């Protein structure tokens, strides 16, 4: 891992073009965060019946905007900023072409604007443009073509961003043929390989089905096929959000704690596990879908449980790293070392709080992953409670906290206010505890998600503890705290960006790990091998279910009858797919 001592120039001075691209990505991410957070507050107040300022029909427009702006635009532009910084920093060289970097940024931004225009057009019926399809934009809900075209442009932009980072790696490799890949660059590359594999499904769905369907070029689509292709992408995108947060936990959080990363080899293993296991598990989102055989669902459940391993390894490594930092700062005892950590630093506190919430979200995720117990909470408010703890805190709060440390490097200005930053991360933590706790409990009571009107006449939801009114108040109060937290964050970032230049606004130095890459086998850096294995696993997990959906569900474009859950593809199809998968695996290994 490349390091920077206190005497070296700032990142913005060494790599001015890369800093500018990273700043631009953060700007778009933060604008999306502000708008999406406001939509979230309106939704929380509306569905709890605390305050209603919109019609219930418009609720679904704001729900779509909230999901797309926060779960796609904010997260992925934030990822692009962190990865662009990390690639230049860890390889210690600029991008091959700054013009190419601006090109993919422009394509992603244009796509985001088009999709947002289509969504917000739903608030003005006279425009004839709408996209009330929610974040899960599969059929049979249909959006305006502009929405799908914008999404396609955005996805292509992310592909080009990855190409930019791979080109930087190739240039570095030519000058360093025998060196191990620097850890941050390794994390960037493995994440993008996973993304290239995962986005195949959504690209096929959008380009070959949803765009022609929305333009009227084809009369119908196969809803189960588009749903399955979405979840082919819809679950690995969770790790696409998480892996930049993991990168900051592994490489920056230990430094902020006063120590060093516990193990570079463990970090590499974790990212390879995510590459291998993230995509073949999407069917666990479809446990209640007819047309997919129960055996395939069981396989997806089993694969999902394997994903607990990299998360547990991360928990161990992160805690060991910050404990090392605490003891370097004088901490002692079994738990009293926690008091020696820099809790007044908003960057450290925010990332630590994010990790704590993520641990709780992992436990609720185990319920989602279990096929039988999932039936209890499927499509209930439990599910948004879970992903507000994962993407809504593990990712969002990590990104905000890390910005307190990174933005000064990109601007050359000091953070405007550490106390405001600390208040902001505490407000987010407290607000999420209130809201996610109430959402989980409401889900157990059977309260549905994705609806503006969860209240039913002549029916009472029963809670073991407390009341439905108390749950509504918690959700509304938590949503209000989260929105106030975002306002404070954006205020702090704005004044930081326009603050006075400082000779040394932040300590950029990242120390070497306690256990370096030399302690791990070089095969971990063989990205071609791991890519081949990941592709084979995806083929084994998805080809048979998709073949069954097409064969028995009315073909590529639908029109057939509902499919019994016991249907399997023809034996010959099974033989052909298995033979091809094993041939591909043999080709990779040999």
């Amino acid at each position: 891992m490349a390091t920077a001592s206190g005497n070296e120039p700032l990142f913005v001075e060494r790599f001015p073009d890369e800093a500018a691209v990273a700043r631009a990505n953060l700007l778009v991410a933060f604008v999306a965060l502000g708008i999406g957070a406001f939509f979230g507050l309106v939704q929380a107040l509306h569905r709890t019946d605390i305050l209603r300022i919109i019609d219930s029909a418009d609720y679904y427009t704001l729900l779509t905007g909230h999901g797309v702006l926060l779960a796609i635009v904010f997260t992925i532009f934030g990822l692009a900023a962190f990865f662009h910084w990390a690639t230049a920093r860890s390889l210690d060289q600029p991008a091959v072409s700054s013009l190419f970097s601006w090109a993919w940024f422009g394509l992603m931004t244009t796509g985001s604007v088009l999709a947002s225009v289509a969504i917000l057009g739903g608030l003005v019926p006279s425009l004839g443009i709408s996209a009330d399809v929610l974040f899960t934009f599969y059929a049979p809900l249909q959006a305006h073509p502009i929405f799908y075209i914008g999404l396609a442009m955005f996805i292509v932009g992310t592909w080009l961003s990855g190409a930019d980072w791979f080109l930087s790696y190739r240039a570095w490799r030519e000058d360093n043929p025998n060196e191990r890949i620097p850890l941050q660059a390794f994390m960037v590359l493995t994440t993008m390989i996973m993304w290239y594999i995962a986005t195949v499904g959504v690209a096929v769905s959008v380009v070959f089905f949803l765009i022609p369907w929305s333009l009227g070029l084809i009369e119908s689509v196969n809803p189960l096929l588009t749903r399955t292709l979405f979840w082919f992408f819809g679950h690995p995108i969770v790790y696409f959000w998480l892996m930049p947060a993991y990168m900051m936990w592994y490489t920056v959080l230990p430094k902020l704690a006063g120590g060093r990363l516990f193990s570079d080899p463990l970090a590499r293993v974790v990212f390879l596990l995510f590459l291998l296991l993230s995509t073949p598990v999407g069917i666990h989102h479809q446990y209640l879908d007819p047309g997919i055989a129960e055996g395939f669902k069981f396989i997806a459940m089993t694969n999902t449980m394997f994903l607990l391993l990299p998360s547990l390894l991360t928990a161990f490594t992160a805690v060991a790293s910050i404990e090392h930092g605490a003891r370097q700062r004088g901490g002692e005892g079994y738990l009293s070392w926690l008091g020696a950590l820099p809790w007044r630093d908003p960057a450290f506190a925010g990332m630590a709080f994010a990790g704590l919430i993520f641990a709780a979200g992992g436990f609720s995720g185990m319920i989602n992953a279990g096929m039988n117990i999932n039936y209890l909470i499927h499509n209930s408010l439990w599910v948004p409670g879970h992903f507000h703890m994962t993407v809504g805190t593990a990712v969002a709060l990590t990104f905000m906290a890390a910005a307190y440390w990174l933005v000064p490097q990109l601007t050359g200005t000091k953070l405007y206010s550490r106390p405001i930053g600390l208040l902001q991360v505490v407000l987010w933590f407290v607000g999420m505890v209130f809201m996610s706790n109430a959402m989980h409990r409401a889900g157990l009571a059977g309260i549905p998600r994705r609806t503006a009107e969860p209240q039913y006449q002549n029916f009472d939801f029963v809670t073991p503890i407390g009341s439905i009114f108390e749950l509504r108040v918690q959700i509304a109060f938590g949503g209000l705290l989260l929105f106030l937290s975002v306002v404070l964050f954006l205020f702090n970032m704005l004044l930081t960006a326009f603050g006075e230049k400082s000779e040394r606004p932040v300590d950029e130095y990242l120390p070497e790990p306690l256990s370096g890459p030399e302690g791990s086998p070089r095969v971990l850096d063989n990205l071609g091998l791991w890519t081949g294995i990941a592709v084979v696993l995806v083929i084994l997990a998805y080809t048979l279910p998709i073949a069954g959906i097409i064969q028995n569900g009315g073909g590529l474009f639908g029109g057939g009858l509902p499919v019994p859950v016991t249907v399997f593809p023809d034996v010959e199809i099974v033989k052909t797919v298995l033979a091809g998968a094993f041939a591909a695996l043999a080709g990779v290994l040999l």
Side-chain angles (χ1 to χ4, degrees):
M1 174 189 310
T3 59
S5 68
N7 298 322
E8 291 186 356
L10 296 172
F11 180 87
V12 68
E13 296 169 345
R14 289 183 290 148
F15 306 110
D17 293 336
E18 286 65 35
V21 173
R23 288 197 304 269
N25 277 279
L26 286 179
L27 175 61
V28 177
F30 294 161
V31 169
L33 174 65
I35 299 172
F38 175 71
F39 288 174
L41 175 63
V42 174
Q43 292 167 218
L45 296 176
H46 184 96
R47 68 165 287 132
T48 56
D49 210 18
I50 301 295
L51 175 65
R52 297 195 163 192
I53 60 175
I54 60 172
D55 294 333
S56 288
D58 292 333
Y59 175 91
Y60 302 99
T61 300
L62 297 191
L63 179 58
T64 304
H66 177 72
V68 171
L69 288 174
L70 293 186
I72 295 182
V73 179
F74 163 65
T75 55
I76 297 180
F77 273 97
L79 172 146
F82 288 121
F83 278 8
H84 206 60
W85 160 79
T87 301
R89 183 206 154 272
S90 61
L91 299 178
D92 198 24
Q93 64 181 34
V96 173
S97 169
S98 61
L99 182 62
F100 184 71
S101 300
W102 285 112
W104 59 255
F105 168 76
L107 191 59
M108 287 172 58
T109 303
T110 303
S112 301
V113 170
L114 290 177
S116 299
V117 167
I119 294 169
L120 297 178
L123 299 175
V124 187
S126 60
L127 294 178
I129 299 174
S130 66
D132 298 344
V133 291
L134 314 185
F135 164 71
T136 50
F137 47 85
Y138 41 70
L141 295 178
Q142 186 184 74
H144 191 274
I146 291 177
F147 176 77
Y148 298 122
I149 293 171
L151 285 177
M153 293 176 65
F154 181 84
I155 292 169
V156 172
T158 65
W159 291 347
L160 295 179
S161 71
D164 195 3
W165 303 323
F166 270 96
L167 288 172
S168 293
Y169 166 68
R170 187 177 69 175
W172 175 87
R173 178 55 77 192
E174 290 176 354
D175 297 330
N176 302 271
N178 299 315
E179 296 292 325
R180 299 297 297 270
I181 305 174
L183 181 58
Q184 284 188 327
F186 179 87
M187 293 172 166
V188 171
L189 299 180
T190 51
T191 301
M192 291 311 300
I193 293 170
M194 183 270 289
W195 182 244
Y196 286 133
I197 296 171
T199 48
V200 169
V202 73
V204 169
S205 177
V206 169
V207 173
F208 292 100
F209 297 109
L210 298 180
I211 289 178
W213 180 49
S214 64
L215 289 171
L217 301 178
I218 56 177
E219 294 184 359
S220 64
V221 296
N222 185 330
L224 183 56
L225 179 59
T226 65
R227 181 178 172 91
T228 304
L229 290 174
F230 176 87
W231 287 119
F232 181 101
F233 141 93
H235 191 78
I237 194 178
V238 173
Y239 298 100
F240 193 58
W241 303 325
L242 278 170
M243 288 160 88
Y246 274 39
M247 181 182 75
M248 303 308 284
W249 293 353
Y250 275 109
T251 63
V252 176
L253 185 59
K255 175 260 185 353
L256 296 177
R260 295 190 284 169
L261 172 63
F262 179 75
S263 173
D264 175 295
L266 271 180
R268 293 173 192 261
V269 168
V270 163
F271 273 71
L272 287 177
L273 287 173
F274 280 131
L275 166 61
L276 298 179
L277 300 175
S278 295
T279 305
V281 301
I283 287 176
H284 80 231
H285 289 268
Q286 300 177 262
Y287 286 147
L288 292 183
D289 283 13
I292 299 177
E294 295 295 312
F296 295 140
K297 296 174 183 178
F298 179 81
I299 293 171
M301 178 187 71
T302 304
N303 291 339
T304 303
M305 294 304 174
F306 284 118
L307 273 170
L308 291 173
L309 178 58
S311 295
L312 292 173
L313 288 175
T314 297
F316 167 78
T317 307
V319 172
S321 300
I322 64 174
E323 181 182 355
H324 172 262
R327 296 193 184 280
Q328 294 296 108
R329 299 166 64 93
E332 298 178 347
Y334 288 111
L335 293 176
S336 55
W337 57 266
L338 290 167
L341 293 169
W343 293 107
R344 293 183 181 275
D345 180 356
F348 172 82
M351 283 195 262
F353 289 152
L356 185 60
I357 290 285
F358 182 61
F363 287 113
S364 69
M366 293 172 64
I367 304 300
N368 301 344
M371 188 162 64
N372 290 335
I373 201 168
N374 178 277
Y375 299 157
L376 176 66
I377 50 87
H378 186 80
N379 267 342
S380 75
L381 209 53
W382 171 287
V383 179
H386 164 72
F387 61 65
H388 276 85
M389 299 177 91
T390 51
V391 62
T393 299
V395 176
L397 186 54
T398 294
F399 282 14
M400 289 185 281
Y404 291 134
W405 182 78
L406 180 60
V407 168
Q409 298 182 43
L410 303 177
T411 60
T413 60
K414 281 190 174 182
L415 178 63
Y416 173 72
S417 173
R418 285 166 60 98
I420 290 177
L422 185 60
L423 175 61
Q424 181 263 316
V425 299
V426 170
L427 277 180
W428 190 277
F429 178 78
V430 174
M432 192 57 70
V433 167
F434 274 106
M435 190 170 77
S436 63
N437 165 66
M439 283 182 168
H440 281 88
R441 290 171 52 206
L444 291 177
I447 296 178
R449 60 183 293 207
R450 293 170 164 161
T451 176
E453 304 293 342
Q455 301 83 20
Y456 299 112
Q457 294 182 352
N458 302 319
F459 180 84
D460 291 325
F461 293 107
V462 179
T463 59
I465 301 174
S467 66
I468 296 299
F469 175 76
E470 171 251 327
L471 296 181
R472 291 178 188 167
V473 170
Q474 276 200 49
I475 292 172
F477 179 64
L480 178 61
L481 291 183
L482 293 172
F483 178 71
L484 292 176
S485 176
V486 169
V487 171
L488 288 176
F489 171 74
L490 295 178
F491 173 78
N492 213 357
M493 286 292 100
L494 181 65
L495 293 184
T496 298
F498 290 99
E500 294 184 3
K501 298 294 182 180
S502 172
E503 183 177 344
R504 187 61 51 184
V506 68
D507 180 10
E508 299 183 9
Y509 173 70
L510 293 181
E512 297 293 335
L514 291 170
S515 174
E518 65 280 355
S520 62
R522 298 188 70 90
V523 71
L524 293 181
D525 286 6
N526 188 341
L527 298 181
L529 170 65
W530 301 112
T531 301
I533 295 174
V535 169
V536 169
L537 291 175
V538 170
I539 291 173
L540 292 174
Y542 266 102
T543 306
L544 299 183
I546 289 177
I549 291 169
I550 295 173
Q551 176 184 332
N552 302 290
L556 286 172
F557 302 102
L561 297 174
V563 186
V565 297
T566 53
V567 168
F568 283 88
D570 289 342
V571 174
E572 291 303 318
I573 296 178
V574 175
K575 291 180 179 179
T576 302
V577 170
L578 290 178
F582 284 115
L585 180 58
V588 169
L589 295 177
L590 297 177

